[in-house]
Amino acid sequence: MKAFKFLRARTCGEAAQLLAKNADARVHAGGTDLLGRMKERLDTSDVLVSLCDAAGLDQIRVETDGSIWIGARVTLAELAASEACRTFLPTLAEAAGLAASPQLRQRATIAGNLAQQTRCHYFRLATFPCWKRGDDACPVKEAGGVQDTAGIFDGACVSAHPSSVAPVLGSLDAEITVRDAKGPRPVPFDAFWAAPKPGIATDTILGAGDVIEAIRIPPRAAKQYMGYAEVRQKAAFDWALVSCAVRYEIVEGAMHDVRVWFGSVAPAPWRARLAEAALQGGACTDEAAAKAADAALAEARPVAGAAYKEHLARVALRRALADAREGAK
Amino acid sequence: MKPATEPDSPARSKVQMILRVNGESHDVAFVPHKTLLEVLREDMRLTGTKHGCELGECGTCTILVDGVPRLSCLMLGLESDGHDIRTIEGMAGACGAHPLQTAFAELGAAQCGYCTPGFLLAAEAVLARDPTPSRATLVEELGGNLCRCTGYLKIYEAIELAAARMQKGTPDA
Ligand SMILES: Cc1cc2nc3c(=O)[nH]c(=O)nc-3n(C[C@H](O)[C@H](O)[C@H](O)COP(=O)(O)OP(=O)(O)OC[C@H]3O[C@@H](n4cnc5c(N)ncnc54)[C@H](O)[C@@H]3O)c2cc1C
Ligand code: FES
Ligand code: FES
């Protein structure tokens, strides 16, 4: 692996100070994504600022206003097991518990999950050219065969953000607290993602001095209907080919305040606003799901090898809405 | 392209650390960017922990950190500071093989054996929490360990046999 200095931050504030002092530093949390990229020399930073000992960031708190505060270093295993999460944010507990493998969930943190980079097979192997790494060519666009890591929306880069947890956080209107040396600032979930640019590997607005401190889920007065579904090839230890998270309220039998987010279909978690609009004000039925899927997929522009994901997205949306409707959560 | 040699960096000087492995403290010196897998195998000569994909995809590098299965390929040696590490070398006791090891050997749950250290430790952690795990629990808890030889059934059967023997207190009869 690339050699680096390893600095342990005792608090999130100290992490931000250390990042300000070390221009080429990276935040290290569970290391499940970062170390893999450093082994492949996709990231050649000289300094890691580690949150592995940072105090307080491993907590999940229900605040007095009913909002839920999730520290950056909370792991997927902790989310899946947390009583607060299972009770108030069941789709988050479910998606976290389905992700990766038991060993990985012990390490993988929620902040790292959002800031992880694409799993596009070509991006991850330095021997291939990659538009996201600054080359002219994109092998995915020329490759035949089935593309499991490609998306179907947003043509500039065909790779997909791989997180299955992120669409759930989107559906819950999560707010991300980002800290730099000057202090913390709230970033709405929609505003956290950056459009793909040539030669830029990251998919977020995080700058060199930024560290995620926490994820905050706002409180809700009305009962929430939440649903989650993912389509994948293997029952155990597999990435979702497409994931979908929905949330809504019911007012006089009709859906209101609808959120529809997809994962693994675009360079960032994908909010299907057209699907939300189609569902808004109607009953939650399979027919409504089909119409909403038509609306969402009108914008799809897949490469040939990922066209099958359009069908998977329909299936995932129908299942996520059924999951919410059944109120099993 | 990967550079043939690492660029010079102050990060290359070794750190000295006490690692607690299999109940004993070891004084070890290694460079900060070494994974725990590399420290165990290269600096401590504990080669029972296997080196597979190195990317979190196979589970053969599984060790126990404070009793919990973790991937040593994605954890830095430095991060084991203050933790209790258990590797396959620590599994057999003074009276011989662990019941899991005996059952794996008897039932052919190890063929090429490359995945075996990881499976044994992951299984030990399951039994520590749940001495009579259901098949569904085993499938779920061992989902992060891949085996290209056995087809998994022999592995589940061996763990169930060991669990039954451990319940009866007859480790290898
Ligand atoms: C084999 C495998 C299978 C997987 N399967 C799934 C899956 O099914 N679903 C899924 O959603 N994910 C999956 N993952 C991804 C996994 O969940 C992420 O790698 C993990 O969540 C990243 O968290 P980490 O703490 O390990 O981050 P690290 O590897 O430490 O960091 C990842 C990135 O985030 C940045 N970062 C980390 N913490 C912060 C912070 N607090 N502030 C700012 N930047 C930060 C780092 O600088 C780095 O760029 C899988 C990973 C592997 C290896
Ligand atoms: S070597 Fe660690 S998971 Fe494969
Ligand atoms: S016995 Fe060969 S990989 Fe499992």
Side-chain angles (χ1 to χ4, degrees):
Chain A
M1 186 157 32
K2 165 77 176 64
F4 49 73
K5 264 203 297 193
F6 189 74
L7 307 177
R8 293 163 193 259
R10 280 159 301 179
T11 61
C12 194
E14 190 179 48
Q17 299 296 339
L18 288 169
L19 289 172
K21 276 189 225 132
N22 295 277
D24 186 35
R26 289 289 176 279
V27 180
H28 166 268
T32 61
D33 172 52
L34 180 63
L35 295 188
R37 284 188 280 112
M38 294 193 86
K39 289 179 190 194
E40 188 60 21
R41 307 299 194 281
L42 299 181
D43 192 313
T44 54
S45 313
D46 288 324
V47 180
L48 298 195
V49 171
S50 184
L51 300 177
C52 68
D53 292 333
L57 297 188
D58 55 354
Q59 289 172 18
I60 303 175
R61 292 196 305 262
V62 183
E63 307 282 32
T64 43
D65 67 354
S67 63
I68 297 178
W69 187 95
I70 304 169
R73 194 157 69 82
V74 168
T75 63
L76 300 187
E78 285 161 351
L79 285 175
S82 148
E83 205 45 50
C85 197
R86 294 167 74 100
T87 310
F88 301 113
L89 312 170
T91 43
L92 184 57
E94 183 185 354
L98 283 170
S101 71
Q103 288 96 320
L104 282 161
R105 292 195 293 271
Q106 288 292 336
R107 293 285 288 174
T109 67
I110 185 156
N113 187 279
L114 293 178
Q116 68 174 304
Q117 294 182 7
T118 179
R119 287 275 161 181
C120 174
H121 302 298
Y122 301 95
F123 168 79
R124 291 268 164 174
L125 274 177
T127 41
F128 287 103
C130 169
W131 181 84
K132 218 174 167 59
R133 282 195 267 99
D135 298 312
D136 290 334
C138 166
V140 187
K141 290 187 173 157
E142 283 114 56
V146 174
Q147 297 296 327
D148 56 342
T149 55
I152 56 178
F153 296 110
D154 254 10
C157 175
V158 296
S159 74
H161 190 273
S163 172
S164 44
V165 181
V168 179
L169 290 172
S171 74
L172 299 171
D173 291 342
E175 180 187 275
I176 300 165
T177 310
V178 177
R179 185 182 275 277
D180 66 10
K182 294 196 286 287
R185 65 179 191 277
V187 179
F189 199 80
D190 292 283
F192 182 70
W193 309 98
K197 286 195 201 69
I200 305 289
T202 57
D203 306 303
T204 73
I205 52 90
L206 292 174
D210 285 339
V211 52
I212 300 172
E213 179 162 282
I215 320 284
R216 197 183 141 273
I217 313 291
R220 301 273 168 193
K223 174 176 162 57
Q224 300 296 306
Y225 290 77
M226 303 175 201
Y228 177 72
E230 62 181 52
V231 184
R232 57 197 222 179
Q233 285 177 296
K234 290 177 283 167
F237 197 6
D238 202 5
W239 295 89
L241 291 165
V242 173
S243 56
C244 180
V246 299
R247 180 188 60 76
Y248 57 85
E249 297 174 8
I250 290 285
V251 182
E252 292 168 3
M255 286 184 279
H256 276 274
D257 199 23
V258 185
R259 293 290 179 283
V260 177
W261 283 78
F262 286 101
S264 304
V265 297
W270 177 261
R271 180 170 181 184
R273 287 177 187 272
L274 295 175
E276 292 176 359
L279 291 168
Q280 182 79 20
C284 185
T285 61
D286 282 353
E287 294 71 51
K291 283 210 184 92
D294 287 342
L297 290 163
E299 295 178 293
R301 299 283 178 273
V303 289
Y308 71 101
K309 284 196 175 186
E310 289 194 45
H311 176 64
L312 301 191
R314 283 176 196 283
V315 173
L317 176 58
R318 188 182 69 231
R319 289 184 187 164
L321 283 168
D323 187 39
R325 181 169 67 222
E326 280 153 21
K329 308 205 180 267
Chain B
M1 285 294 284
K2 292 180 190 182
T5 52
E6 301 287 355
D8 274 348
S9 152
R12 299 192 60 85
S13 50
K14 289 188 176 184
V15 286
Q16 190 94 20
M17 228 181 84
I18 308 282
L19 251 74
R20 270 202 70 76
V21 180
N22 300 325
E24 285 173 24
S25 298
H26 302 258
D27 205 347
V28 197
F30 53 88
V31 286
H33 61 278
K34 269 204 168 182
T35 61
L36 180 56
L37 175 66
E38 291 164 334
V39 173
L40 289 168
R41 290 180 57 89
E42 295 165 13
D43 299 293
M44 301 181 70
R45 299 274 157 212
L46 293 173
T47 53
T49 308
K50 296 297 174 234
H51 180 288
C53 67
E54 271 208 84
L55 293 170
E57 291 167 2
C58 75
T60 196
C61 67
T62 300
I63 51 155
L64 301 185
V65 179
D66 302 326
V68 181
R70 293 271 183 91
L71 301 176
S72 59
C73 73
L74 290 179
M75 176 174 172
L76 296 171
L78 284 175
E79 290 180 271
S80 55
D81 198 8
H83 297 286
D84 215 29
I85 307 296
R86 188 163 156 81
T87 70
I88 194 64
E89 285 87 352
M91 200 169 195
C95 357
H98 186 283
L100 278 165
Q101 292 173 306
T102 308
F104 266 59
E106 282 177 17
L107 295 195
Q111 287 184 26
C112 80
Y114 208 78
C115 68
T116 312
F119 264 106
L120 284 168
L121 289 167
E124 190 189 12
V126 176
L127 296 188
R129 254 179 306 142
D130 181 357
T132 54
S134 66
R135 180 63 68 92
T137 301
L138 288 181
V139 170
E140 170 61 29
E141 295 295 324
L142 300 173
N145 294 77
L146 301 193
C147 174
R148 301 303 287 168
C149 303
T150 65
Y152 302 101
L153 275 182
K154 299 276 179 209
I155 293 176
Y156 302 142
E157 285 165 8
I159 298 168
E160 285 160 356
L161 175 63
R165 286 171 172 173
M166 286 163 78
Q167 283 290 295
K168 277 197 284 178
T170 53
D172 43 12

